[in-house]
Short mmCIF file of all heavy atoms in Angstrom, two decimals:
data_model
loop_
_atom_site.label_atom_id
_atom_site.label_comp_id
_atom_site.label_asym_id
_atom_site.label_seq_id
_atom_site.Cartn_x
_atom_site.Cartn_y
_atom_site.Cartn_z
N LYS G 9 79.03 -91.63 18.23
CA LYS G 9 80.47 -91.40 18.12
C LYS G 9 80.83 -89.92 18.22
O LYS G 9 81.97 -89.57 18.51
CB LYS G 9 80.99 -91.95 16.79
CG LYS G 9 80.71 -93.43 16.57
CD LYS G 9 81.41 -94.29 17.59
CE LYS G 9 81.18 -95.78 17.32
NZ LYS G 9 81.77 -96.64 18.38
N SER G 10 79.86 -89.06 17.95
CA SER G 10 80.09 -87.62 18.02
C SER G 10 78.77 -86.95 18.41
O SER G 10 77.72 -87.60 18.45
CB SER G 10 80.58 -87.07 16.68
OG SER G 10 79.58 -87.22 15.69
N PHE G 11 78.83 -85.66 18.68
CA PHE G 11 77.63 -84.94 19.11
C PHE G 11 76.55 -84.94 18.04
O PHE G 11 75.36 -84.94 18.35
CB PHE G 11 77.98 -83.50 19.51
CG PHE G 11 78.98 -83.41 20.63
CD1 PHE G 11 80.15 -82.64 20.49
CD2 PHE G 11 78.77 -84.10 21.80
CE1 PHE G 11 81.06 -82.56 21.53
CE2 PHE G 11 79.69 -84.03 22.86
CZ PHE G 11 80.84 -83.26 22.71
N LYS G 12 76.94 -85.00 16.78
CA LYS G 12 75.93 -84.98 15.71
C LYS G 12 75.09 -86.26 15.71
O LYS G 12 73.96 -86.28 15.20
CB LYS G 12 76.60 -84.78 14.35
CG LYS G 12 77.48 -85.92 13.89
CD LYS G 12 78.12 -85.59 12.54
CE LYS G 12 79.07 -86.71 12.10
NZ LYS G 12 79.74 -86.36 10.82
N ASP G 13 75.62 -87.32 16.32
CA ASP G 13 74.87 -88.58 16.40
C ASP G 13 73.73 -88.52 17.42
O ASP G 13 72.94 -89.47 17.53
CB ASP G 13 75.81 -89.75 16.75
CG ASP G 13 76.85 -90.00 15.67
OD1 ASP G 13 76.52 -89.77 14.49
OD2 ASP G 13 77.98 -90.39 16.01
N LEU G 14 73.65 -87.42 18.16
CA LEU G 14 72.57 -87.25 19.13
C LEU G 14 71.28 -86.78 18.46
O LEU G 14 70.23 -86.72 19.10
CB LEU G 14 72.98 -86.21 20.20
CG LEU G 14 74.14 -86.60 21.11
CD1 LEU G 14 74.60 -85.40 21.92
CD2 LEU G 14 73.73 -87.74 22.06
N LYS G 15 71.35 -86.47 17.19
CA LYS G 15 70.18 -85.94 16.48
C LYS G 15 68.99 -86.87 16.62
O LYS G 15 69.08 -88.08 16.43
CB LYS G 15 70.51 -85.75 14.99
CG LYS G 15 69.41 -85.03 14.22
CD LYS G 15 69.85 -84.70 12.80
CE LYS G 15 68.76 -83.92 12.07
NZ LYS G 15 69.19 -83.52 10.71
N GLY G 16 67.84 -86.27 16.98
CA GLY G 16 66.60 -87.02 17.14
C GLY G 16 66.43 -87.70 18.48
O GLY G 16 65.39 -88.31 18.76
N MET G 17 67.43 -87.62 19.34
CA MET G 17 67.36 -88.31 20.63
C MET G 17 66.65 -87.49 21.70
O MET G 17 66.53 -86.27 21.60
CB MET G 17 68.77 -88.67 21.12
CG MET G 17 69.43 -89.77 20.32
SD MET G 17 70.95 -90.36 21.12
CE MET G 17 71.32 -91.80 20.11
N LYS G 18 66.17 -88.20 22.72
CA LYS G 18 65.54 -87.57 23.89
C LYS G 18 66.63 -87.36 24.94
O LYS G 18 67.23 -88.34 25.41
CB LYS G 18 64.43 -88.46 24.45
CG LYS G 18 63.23 -88.61 23.50
CD LYS G 18 62.19 -89.52 24.09
CE LYS G 18 62.66 -90.96 24.11
NZ LYS G 18 61.61 -91.90 24.57
N ILE G 19 66.89 -86.10 25.29
CA ILE G 19 67.99 -85.78 26.21
C ILE G 19 67.45 -85.04 27.43
O ILE G 19 66.77 -84.01 27.31
CB ILE G 19 69.06 -84.94 25.50
CG1 ILE G 19 69.54 -85.65 24.23
CG2 ILE G 19 70.23 -84.68 26.44
CD1 ILE G 19 70.57 -84.89 23.42
N GLY G 20 67.77 -85.55 28.60
CA GLY G 20 67.31 -84.96 29.85
C GLY G 20 68.24 -83.85 30.33
O GLY G 20 69.46 -83.98 30.24
N VAL G 21 67.65 -82.77 30.82
CA VAL G 21 68.38 -81.67 31.46
C VAL G 21 67.68 -81.39 32.79
O VAL G 21 66.56 -81.86 33.01
CB VAL G 21 68.41 -80.40 30.58
CG1 VAL G 21 69.10 -80.69 29.25
CG2 VAL G 21 66.99 -79.87 30.33
N THR G 22 68.31 -80.63 33.66
CA THR G 22 67.65 -80.34 34.94
C THR G 22 66.35 -79.60 34.71
O THR G 22 65.31 -79.92 35.28
CB THR G 22 68.57 -79.53 35.88
OG1 THR G 22 69.01 -78.34 35.19
CG2 THR G 22 69.78 -80.34 36.31
N ALA G 23 66.39 -78.59 33.83
CA ALA G 23 65.19 -77.85 33.44
C ALA G 23 65.49 -77.11 32.15
O ALA G 23 66.63 -76.66 31.95
CB ALA G 23 64.76 -76.86 34.53
N PRO G 24 64.52 -76.99 31.25
CA PRO G 24 64.75 -76.21 30.03
C PRO G 24 65.19 -74.78 30.37
O PRO G 24 64.63 -74.16 31.27
CB PRO G 24 63.37 -76.23 29.34
CG PRO G 24 62.74 -77.48 29.84
CD PRO G 24 63.18 -77.61 31.27
N GLY G 25 66.22 -74.30 29.67
CA GLY G 25 66.72 -72.95 29.94
C GLY G 25 67.74 -72.88 31.06
O GLY G 25 68.24 -71.80 31.39
N SER G 26 68.08 -74.02 31.63
CA SER G 26 69.07 -74.07 32.72
C SER G 26 70.47 -74.22 32.16
O SER G 26 70.66 -74.40 30.95
CB SER G 26 68.75 -75.23 33.66
OG SER G 26 68.92 -76.46 32.95
N SER G 27 71.47 -74.20 33.04
CA SER G 27 72.86 -74.32 32.59
C SER G 27 73.13 -75.67 31.94
O SER G 27 73.95 -75.78 31.02
CB SER G 27 73.82 -74.10 33.77
OG SER G 27 73.56 -75.03 34.80
N THR G 28 72.44 -76.72 32.41
CA THR G 28 72.63 -78.04 31.79
C THR G 28 72.10 -78.03 30.35
O THR G 28 72.64 -78.72 29.48
CB THR G 28 71.91 -79.14 32.60
OG1 THR G 28 70.54 -78.76 32.82
CG2 THR G 28 72.59 -79.36 33.93
N ASN G 29 71.06 -77.25 30.11
CA ASN G 29 70.52 -77.07 28.76
C ASN G 29 71.50 -76.27 27.90
O ASN G 29 71.78 -76.64 26.74
CB ASN G 29 69.17 -76.35 28.86
CG ASN G 29 68.34 -76.44 27.59
OD1 ASN G 29 67.14 -76.21 27.62
ND2 ASN G 29 68.94 -76.75 26.46
N PHE G 30 72.07 -75.19 28.45
CA PHE G 30 73.05 -74.37 27.70
C PHE G 30 74.27 -75.21 27.31
O PHE G 30 74.78 -75.10 26.19
CB PHE G 30 73.51 -73.17 28.54
CG PHE G 30 72.44 -72.17 28.86
CD1 PHE G 30 72.56 -71.34 29.96
CD2 PHE G 30 71.31 -72.03 28.06
CE1 PHE G 30 71.58 -70.41 30.28
CE2 PHE G 30 70.32 -71.09 28.36
CZ PHE G 30 70.46 -70.29 29.47
N PHE G 31 74.74 -76.02 28.24
CA PHE G 31 75.91 -76.86 28.00
C PHE G 31 75.64 -77.81 26.84
O PHE G 31 76.47 -77.96 25.93
CB PHE G 31 76.25 -77.64 29.28
CG PHE G 31 77.45 -78.55 29.19
CD1 PHE G 31 78.73 -78.03 29.16
CD2 PHE G 31 77.29 -79.93 29.14
CE1 PHE G 31 79.84 -78.87 29.09
CE2 PHE G 31 78.39 -80.77 29.06
CZ PHE G 31 79.67 -80.24 29.04
N LEU G 32 74.49 -78.45 26.88
CA LEU G 32 74.10 -79.35 25.80
C LEU G 32 74.03 -78.60 24.47
O LEU G 32 74.55 -79.08 23.45
CB LEU G 32 72.74 -79.99 26.12
CG LEU G 32 72.10 -80.80 25.00
CD1 LEU G 32 72.96 -82.00 24.63
CD2 LEU G 32 70.69 -81.24 25.40
N ASN G 33 73.40 -77.44 24.47
CA ASN G 33 73.26 -76.65 23.24
C ASN G 33 74.63 -76.31 22.64
O ASN G 33 74.82 -76.35 21.42
CB ASN G 33 72.50 -75.36 23.51
CG ASN G 33 71.03 -75.59 23.80
OD1 ASN G 33 70.53 -76.70 23.65
ND2 ASN G 33 70.34 -74.56 24.23
#
């Protein structure tokens, strides 16, 4: 229901340290 509910989940990004990773962070 919110971003905090993502805790513990496996989330795919294009590559660690990429813009998709920054956006998620």
Side-chain angles (χ1 to χ4, degrees):
K9 302 297 183 185
S10 65
F11 300 127
K12 66 181 177 183
D13 296 328
L14 294 169
K15 188 172 183 177
M17 289 190 171
K18 293 179 289 185
I19 305 178
V21 299
T22 55
S26 65
S27 58
T28 52
N29 196 162
F30 295 156
F31 180 74
L32 171 63
N33 290 351

